[in-house]
Amino acid sequence: MHKIMLIEDDPQLSEIIQENLERYGYVVAQPKSFANVVEEFVNFQPDLVLLDINLPYYDGYYLCRSFRQKSNVPIIIISARSQEMDQIMAIELGADDYITKPFTFDILHSKIKATVRRVYGEYAFKENQNTSIGELYIDSQTLTITYGEKSKELSKNEYKLLRKLMENNNAYVTREQLMEEVWDSFTFVDDNTLTVNITRIKQKLVEIGVGQVIKTKRGLGYMLQYSVGMNND
């Protein structure tokens, strides 16, 4: 029984979502007070969060950032905001996925199932893999990328994407392969979500002293081009 915290201020929509999720065996909780959502989140300890952006007291961006400071629980944004910048901001603040309203319950449920499988189910064992190429090292326990004496924390999605690129060093990995690695099914994943994550990875590599080693080629995808002993600055 996976626990889902549903944070949506439209009573009709939230009731429909909760009823459908409970039919599939999920334990669903909604905040009793939108003024105390973070406190209720800590007490409930959900396995997954469904989070709207336009909310009373605190918007979804604030809550997403607050949750991330306390937990790595997967967060799926459900919002009527469809602008690219809204999606980018949500991902930047730590959201794992973004669904634009209106949506069908089938799409929502497919995203939830994929996230649960990835984080808690059949694909979860991949989380316990350390990956290294020379001095470039990813720690799966702390979700950090280290180069020499410098290191940066990675989000779960950044960790999975960079690990996939490192495992295929000097070879292109398609966008579809990368999206499937992180989101299990890329059918409903917005292409911008992958782009934002790759951009953040590139920046973090630069910050630890590894230069522009991720290459992009239209029609092929992304490649990590890193060689032991090379000048990566």
Side-chain angles (χ1 to χ4, degrees):
M1 289 280 188
H2 291 285
K3 300 192 298 182
I4 295 178
M5 188 168 190
L6 172 60
I7 306 170
E8 164 63 60
D9 66 336
D10 182 330
Q12 183 176 7
L13 178 59
S14 59
E15 182 180 354
I16 292 172
I17 293 175
Q18 178 166 357
E19 287 179 355
N20 279 280
L21 289 175
E22 289 176 343
R23 285 198 300 113
Y24 284 94
Y26 298 99
V27 176
V28 181
Q30 297 189 48
K32 297 180 177 63
S33 167
F34 284 101
N36 299 305
V37 173
V38 176
E39 181 180 341
E40 293 188 38
F41 167 84
V42 172
N43 292 334
F44 185 56
Q45 293 291 302
D47 299 309
L48 184 143
V49 175
L50 298 177
L51 177 62
D52 191 11
I53 293 178
N54 294 325
L55 297 167
Y57 294 100
Y58 306 103
D59 67 20
Y61 296 132
Y62 173 87
L63 293 174
C64 184
R65 183 170 56 247
S66 299
F67 296 160
R68 269 294 158 265
Q69 292 172 350
K70 301 178 180 297
S71 171
N72 283 323
V73 63
I75 300 170
I76 299 177
I77 300 293
I78 50 174
S79 174
R81 296 192 185 185
S82 58
Q83 296 298 313
E84 180 178 310
M85 281 308 301
D86 291 310
Q87 300 182 42
I88 290 173
M89 186 179 297
I91 298 299
E92 288 282 352
L93 292 174
D96 295 87
D97 211 336
Y98 196 108
I99 305 177
T100 302
K101 299 175 184 177
F103 54 80
T104 67
F105 178 76
D106 287 340
I107 288 179
L108 175 63
H109 192 211
S110 72
K111 294 234 181 201
I112 292 172
K113 288 191 296 182
T115 301
V116 168
R117 283 198 305 269
R118 186 183 74 245
V119 179
Y120 307 109
E122 59 192 285
Y123 303 117
F125 73 95
K126 292 184 178 179
E127 297 296 329
N128 297 317
Q129 294 180 354
N130 295 329
T131 306
S132 64
I133 310 172
E135 290 186 84
L136 193 62
Y137 174 79
I138 297 180
D139 189 313
S140 65
Q141 300 301 310
T142 60
L143 296 187
T144 55
I145 177 69
T146 300
Y147 178 67
E149 297 181 355
K150 295 182 179 180
S151 63
K152 292 289 290 185
E153 287 189 14
L154 301 168
S155 69
K156 276 189 177 181
N157 288 350
E158 292 165 358
Y159 160 73
K160 292 177 183 178
L161 291 169
L162 185 53
R163 184 193 64 208
K164 184 73 171 178
L165 292 171
M166 289 177 67
E167 289 172 348
N168 293 273
N169 187 39
N170 291 318
Y172 278 101
V173 183
T174 67
R175 295 180 69 88
E176 290 77 13
Q177 287 173 318
L178 289 170
M179 287 191 283
E180 193 167 9
E181 178 75 14
V182 176
W183 293 282
D184 180 37
S185 172
F186 56 83
T187 307
F188 305 114
V189 176
D190 191 294
D191 204 50
N192 289 325
T193 303
L194 176 62
T195 302
V196 169
N197 278 275
I198 292 293
T199 299
R200 292 172 63 182
I201 291 171
K202 288 180 178 179
Q203 181 60 37
K204 290 182 179 182
L205 287 171
V206 169
E207 289 173 4
I208 62 173
V210 183
Q212 300 294 336
V213 293
I214 296 181
K215 313 298 180 184
T216 307
K217 193 162 186 177
R218 189 169 184 177
L220 285 178
Y222 296 99
M223 173 174 65
L224 180 76
Q225 199 168 40
Y226 179 91
S227 299
V228 177
M230 70 181 286
N231 182 6
N232 295 291
D233 298 327

